[in-house]
Amino acid sequence: MQSLRNLDAFRLADLEAIRIVLRGGSVIDWHRLNFQTDEEIDAFIRVQEFDPDDPKDLARIDAIRDESISYLRRHFDFPIPKPVAQASLKELLRLTCSKGHRQLCACTILKTMHIIHHLQARELLFMLPVSDQEVFQMVEEKVYKVIGSMLARGFPITEFIGGRKNKDSLYTKLLSKQETVAAQVYDKLRFRIVTRSEEDLFPTLNYLTTYLFPFNYIIPGQSTNTLLDFWDYCETQPRLRKLMPDLQLSTDLEEKVRALDNRFTASSYKVMTFVVDLPICLKPELLEQAPAAAEKLGRVIFSQTEFQVIDRTADQSNEIGDASHTAYKHRQKHAVMRRLKLGLKSSPNND
């Protein structure tokens, strides 16, 4: 594993990844990738929980690619050159960084592969004799391994907390939401990282997207960034300012994205929050318990996991007054009690 990448060494791919994390966008809307080296491509494949040197994983990737191309040919009049249709994952990723029709084909294939792999991984999870708590333990082992390594190497993390939302907290959260469906709770498993300073935020996020979670599995629409303005911050950093004109998608996207609607959070509360569908590579002994039909689905499952990243100064500020967690919980519980007693009459417009 590498050291933290200094902002002066940031590349376009690094900034693109952080932007999608903070904005909560989708790679399906992208039209290119920006890898510069084979080392970057290998790291991107590995963070998906695929080993680029493992024949089984390569066969699995080829199967996903073939299904993707088959789907595109069944439903769209989209010519795919034979060299692209037969390209390996590494070759497809290289093509996405080029130009022309083959680059367009590679991007289209990879976007479809992204969806197919995700759906098949969910199907695999449903076939396994495994509980949520067991999946959460797998996620914790993976996260603790990466964060533990960062702490051991003296990275600028002053606090790290992981935890599972307890049942009472789940009850309260769902009672406070209009969408009282368990599937709407994204933070059943959550991790909180406090960096030494604001300058450490981007390097830490860059490391996490390289070694812990792939930026392409950020859950769209579930990111909140009230900590710093992406564009203003990039303007203050010479290297990032130089990269900004080459970012794909319009520069006003951040202005169009609302923070997640949480009426119990104080306006002064500052944080970066995002949800990842974290890929987990299953151990052979667990896969052996799956039915035979699961064999074609690979060995990767996903678990939605929330991360909060904040710098120490902002974290200390959040513990003062209305922004404190105690004040937040008080407002939430008060609203739940009113809702339980009065229903729609609990709305300020109906009082």
Side-chain angles (χ1 to χ4, degrees):
M1 292 187 178
Q2 67 174 31
S3 299
L4 283 184
R5 181 168 291 158
N6 186 281
L7 289 179
D8 291 336
F10 259 48
R11 293 170 285 203
L12 184 57
D14 302 325
L15 193 56
E16 289 273 30
I18 289 175
R19 187 187 186 194
I20 203 170
V21 168
L22 299 184
R23 184 172 59 83
S26 171
V27 293
I28 304 301
D29 299 315
W30 282 17
H31 60 266
R32 67 166 184 262
L33 293 176
N34 292 288
F35 297 124
Q36 296 181 0
T37 66
D38 284 349
E39 288 74 18
E40 287 181 275
I41 290 175
D42 277 351
F44 181 67
I45 294 173
R46 291 182 188 281
V47 79
Q48 315 283 334
E49 290 292 357
F50 286 121
D51 184 345
D53 300 317
D54 188 313
K56 289 186 178 180
D57 280 354
L58 294 177
R60 167 70 180 149
I61 291 168
D62 286 348
I64 300 170
R65 178 204 60 202
D66 293 344
E67 174 61 21
S68 170
I69 293 171
S70 177
Y71 163 79
L72 292 170
R73 286 175 172 166
R74 287 197 306 270
H75 295 281
F76 305 98
D77 184 17
F78 193 79
I80 301 174
K82 186 175 181 180
V84 179
Q86 296 178 343
S88 67
L89 179 57
K90 286 186 181 181
E91 291 167 339
L92 286 172
L93 289 168
R94 290 191 198 105
L95 282 172
T96 63
C97 309
S98 61
K99 294 181 180 180
H101 180 67
R102 291 190 177 188
Q103 187 265 354
L104 176 62
C105 290
C107 285
T108 304
I109 292 169
L110 283 170
K111 289 177 183 181
T112 312
M113 289 176 66
H114 170 87
I115 297 299
I116 290 172
H117 172 50
H118 190 261
L119 287 174
Q120 292 184 349
R122 295 296 295 175
E123 184 180 353
L124 173 61
L125 177 59
F126 294 145
M127 290 185 177
L128 295 173
V130 61
S131 67
D132 281 351
Q133 297 305 312
E134 290 173 301
V135 173
F136 291 166
Q137 183 176 351
M138 296 180 212
V139 173
E140 288 168 340
E141 289 175 357
K142 177 175 180 176
V143 174
Y144 292 154
K145 180 179 179 180
V146 174
I147 302 296
S149 175
M150 296 174 74
L151 292 170
R153 298 170 65 187
F155 285 11
I157 295 175
T158 62
E159 184 178 344
F160 168 66
I161 300 174
R164 309 178 191 183
K165 189 178 283 292
N166 62 46
K167 290 184 178 180
D168 285 353
S169 293
L170 285 173
Y171 301 157
T172 302
K173 182 158 189 172
L174 286 171
L175 285 168
S176 72
K177 292 167 64 73
Q178 293 298 319
E179 306 88 353
T180 52
V181 181
Q184 297 294 327
V185 179
Y186 290 97
D187 62 344
K188 293 179 183 178
L189 186 60
R190 53 193 174 178
F191 299 94
R192 186 167 174 273
I193 300 168
V194 181
T195 67
R196 182 180 54 206
S197 68
E198 184 178 271
E199 289 70 29
D200 299 314
L201 291 169
F202 273 30
T204 298
L205 286 172
N206 172 250
Y207 191 92
L208 295 176
T209 58
T210 304
Y211 294 109
L212 181 55
F213 53 79
F215 62 80
N216 54 305
Y217 280 112
I218 296 295
I219 302 293
Q222 294 300 318
S223 294
T224 296
N225 171 27
T226 56
L227 188 55
L228 55 79
D229 182 276
F230 177 80
W231 291 101
D232 287 348
Y233 183 71
C234 288
E235 284 284 1
T236 67
Q237 306 296 325
R239 175 57 182 168
L240 302 186
R241 184 170 63 247
K242 184 178 180 181
L243 295 172
M244 287 169 58
D246 294 322
L247 287 169
Q248 58 187 312
L249 306 182
S250 64
T251 58
D252 62 349
L253 280 176
E254 280 73 18
E255 297 175 8
K256 298 177 181 178
V257 176
R258 291 190 304 113
L260 293 182
D261 182 18
N262 192 333
R263 56 198 173 100
F264 311 118
T265 300
S267 59
S268 59
Y269 185 77
K270 305 298 181 184
V271 74
M272 293 175 174
T273 301
F274 50 92
V275 182
V276 181
D277 236 350
L278 195 73
I280 303 295
C281 187
L282 299 173
K283 295 178 181 179
E285 53 266 31
L286 182 56
L287 286 170
E288 290 172 358
Q289 302 178 46
E295 186 175 355
K296 65 179 181 179
L297 301 175
R299 51 186 178 184
V300 175
I301 61 171
F302 291 88
S303 179
Q304 292 177 350
T305 307
E306 181 185 272
F307 288 87
Q308 292 185 353
V309 180
I310 189 171
D311 65 271
R312 181 167 50 189
T313 299
D315 182 53
Q316 293 170 346
S317 177
N318 282 343
E319 289 306 313
I320 300 173
D322 285 346
S324 71
H325 185 67
T326 299
Y328 168 87
K329 297 301 290 186
H330 175 76
R331 290 190 294 270
Q332 186 187 49
K333 288 182 178 180
H334 180 69
V336 168
M337 195 70 262
R338 286 178 59 86
R339 189 182 189 193
L340 288 172
K341 288 181 177 180
L342 304 174
L344 287 177
K345 290 183 180 180
S346 66
S347 170
N349 295 329
N350 293 314
D351 285 347

